[in-house]
């Protein structure tokens, strides 16, 4: 059974076409007519596959491996759940408030003190909720354009579709997989309302230049800091630069609440509207205080964090410095041990004193699938985690102008990095990779 084509360079592909055969992942060969016939039988459109260029632009499935059982080796991700979370949740479950209550207020206050400075916090049910609220507070409306990274979790852009706005995909910087700021400037139009950046893997964007671009063009800057809790740019957290900064507390993030999120708001006058958007458009504090006018003037949502999640988050905040240091230590060990003749570590040149790594991503010069197979055979889970978003039909199809993304989309692999690991685990992974594939 054909499982998919091997990833090859355009030059290799041309050579293979010249011999009218391509090598598949399975043993044996398959000629081009058979490839096309296979695509027809599986419902894939082969209408425009007469040219090499069109073939290379089709979305080929990655055929990810199944999740690794944690007893079979080193998993890619593992939640960090402090021991104190058990007693914190137990205390909450035995009290009056398990929905949004005093624990949420406490979590917001402690998170603000630790990371936000004078920016106002709004704790919500997920990072996606936080993004949706940030877009609404930024004044994004139907038909507005918002420039977003092409390479990110789909949660960055999907809330724009809720609103009816248009995501404009920006190419990546080849060194960091963050925004390519030259491409960003080319894509600003009179219809652009905001810019969204993602600090991929924990590596901060160039916030000085981002702020200057946004100010010069009258644009709101929204930082998706789902990866970068604890990272700084020039000794300041991202929220000190952006108009809105969102955080994700999903299960495997640096800080988890089981699932949850938070939006940090620069303009304090927007906080009351944010609170109404979080809870059905209702002024919750006025309602509980018996002074609500019993009217709803804003369309709101059910986006609140609950006290059970906040209890986990409060326990996590007690551990957060230790977690950040552990992640830095593991990332640093990878950079010391990996042989970089056939690979590049994304963000390796970043100052770890200012960066909290969430992902360890490498570019390989060739044989990505072979390396992933070897790692799995040795009990090490790896994956791509995120894909270029323009491959998804909901965003209107693949773009042609994203040259840096084109260059690396078949070359990157994410390796394990979490607090259930120590340097010996990193050494094991590095030894496997350094032996070749």
């Amino acid at each position: 059974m054909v499982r998919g084509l091997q990833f090859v360079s355009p030059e290799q592909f041309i050579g293979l076409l010249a011999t009218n055969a391509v090598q598949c992942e399975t043993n044996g060969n398959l000629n081009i007519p058979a490839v096309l016939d296979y695509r027809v039988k599986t419902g894939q459109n082969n209408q425009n596959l007469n040219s090499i260029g069109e073939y290379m632009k089709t979305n080929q499935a990655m055929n990810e491996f199944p999740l690794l059982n944690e007893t079979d080796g080193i998993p890619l991700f593992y939640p960090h759940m402090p021991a104190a979370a058990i007693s914190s949740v137990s205390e909450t479950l035995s009290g009056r408030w398990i929905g949004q209550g005093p624990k949420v207020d406490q979590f917001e206050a402690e998170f603000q003190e630790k990371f936000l400075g004078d920016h106002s916090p709004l704790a919500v049910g997920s990072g996606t909720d936080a993004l949706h609220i940030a877009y609404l507070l930024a004044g994004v409306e139907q038909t507005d354009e918002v420039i977003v990274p092409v390479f990110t979790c789909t949660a960055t852009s999907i809330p724009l579709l809720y609103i009816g706005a248009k995501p404009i995909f920006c190419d990546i910087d080849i060194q960091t997989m963050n925004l390519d700021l030259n491409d960003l400037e080319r894509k600003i139009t009179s219809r652009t309302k905001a810019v969204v950046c993602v600090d991929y893997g924990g590596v901060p964007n160039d916030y000085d230049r981002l702020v200057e671009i946004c100010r010069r063009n009258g644009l709101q800057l929204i930082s998706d800091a789902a990866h970068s809790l604890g990272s700084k740019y020039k000794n300041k957290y991202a929220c000190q630069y952006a108009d809105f900064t969102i955080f994700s507390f999903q299960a495997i993030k640096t800080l988890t609440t089981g699932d949850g999120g938070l939006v940090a708001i620069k303009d304090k006058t927007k906080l009351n509207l944010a609170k109404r958007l979080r809870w059905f458009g209702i002024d919750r504090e006025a309602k509980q205080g018996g002074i609500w006018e019993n009217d709803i003037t804003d369309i709101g949502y059910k986006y609140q964090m609950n006290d059970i999640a906040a209890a986990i988050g409060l326990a996590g905040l007690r551990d957060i410095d230790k977690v950040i240091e552990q992640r830095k230590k593991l990332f640093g060990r990878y950079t010391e041990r990996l042989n970089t003749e056939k690979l590049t570590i994304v963000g390796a040149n970043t100052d770890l004193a200012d960066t909290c790594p969430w992902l360890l991503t490498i570019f390989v010069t060739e044989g990505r699938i072979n390396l992933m197979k070897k790692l799995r055979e040795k009990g090490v889970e790896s994956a791509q985690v995120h894909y270029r978003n323009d491959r998804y039909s909901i965003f209107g199809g693949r773009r042609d102008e994203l040259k840096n993304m084109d260059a690396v989309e078949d070359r990157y692999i994410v390796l394990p990095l979490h607090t259930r690991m120590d340097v010996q685990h990193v050494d094991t992974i590095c030894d496997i990779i350094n032996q070749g594939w």
Side-chain angles (χ1 to χ4, degrees), residues 88-123:
S88 183
V89 170
S90 178
E91 176 190 350
T92 301
L93 291 174
S94 63
R96 177 183 179 186
W97 294 97
I98 61 172
Q100 182 188 345
K103 291 284 188 183
V104 173
D105 295 340
Q106 183 184 351
F107 177 74
E108 288 176 337
E110 293 192 16
F111 190 89
Q112 179 182 24
E113 182 178 2
K114 179 70 177 176
F115 294 110
L116 303 185
D118 61 354
H119 289 226
S120 300
L122 185 85

Side-chain angles (χ1 to χ4, degrees), residues 176-330:
T176 62
M177 302 188 88
N178 288 335
L179 287 176
D180 177 343
L181 299 188
N182 293 325
D183 191 49
L184 167 65
E185 293 211 67
R186 286 191 292 268
K187 288 179 173 171
I188 294 172
T189 72
S190 61
R191 296 178 297 278
T192 307
K193 178 61 70 74
V195 171
V196 184
C197 64
V198 174
D199 300 325
Y200 177 75
V203 177
N205 282 263
D206 182 348
Y207 279 102
D208 281 346
R209 189 174 168 197
L210 265 173
V211 169
E212 190 279 324
I213 291 170
C214 289
R215 285 180 178 169
R216 175 163 32 95
N217 292 278
L219 304 175
Q220 298 276 284
L221 177 59
I222 300 162
S223 173
D224 181 342
H227 290 197
S228 57
L229 178 65
S231 291
K232 295 180 179 180
Y233 175 80
K234 295 188 175 179
N235 205 36
K236 294 195 296 186
Y237 293 119
C239 66
Q240 301 299 312
Y241 300 92
D243 297 292
F244 304 94
T245 305
I246 77 92
F247 299 91
S248 171
F249 309 129
Q250 187 258 353
I252 55 175
K253 292 301 195 298
T254 302
L255 173 69
T256 185
T257 59
D259 204 354
L262 184 142
V263 56
I265 304 165
K266 183 177 183 179
D267 182 352
K268 292 179 174 59
T269 66
K270 295 179 183 281
L271 181 60
N272 284 336
L273 172 58
K275 289 181 177 181
R276 294 196 300 274
L277 292 174
R278 175 173 65 178
W279 205 63
F280 303 117
I282 295 173
D283 185 334
R284 183 183 174 98
E285 292 175 7
K287 186 175 187 297
Q288 292 180 343
I291 57 173
W292 181 46
E293 295 180 356
N294 201 24
D295 190 17
I296 297 174
T297 58
D298 305 291
I299 298 174
Y301 306 87
K302 196 174 189 300
Y303 281 173
Q304 79 276 17
M305 179 180 283
N306 63 55
D307 268 23
I308 299 171
I312 297 172
L314 286 165
L317 284 172
R318 311 286 185 270
D319 258 9
I320 194 64
D321 290 337
K322 180 176 70 175
V323 170
I324 290 171
E325 288 307 309
Q326 175 73 349
R327 287 184 167 277
K328 290 179 179 181
K329 182 178 180 181
L330 297 175

Side-chain angles (χ1 to χ4, degrees), residues 331-351:
F331 190 97
R333 187 67 169 184
Y334 271 115
T335 62
E336 292 170 3
R337 288 292 325 280
L338 279 175
N339 184 336
T340 56
E341 290 182 6
K342 294 178 65 178
L343 60 85
T344 302
I345 302 171
V346 175
N349 297 325
T350 302
D351 183 0

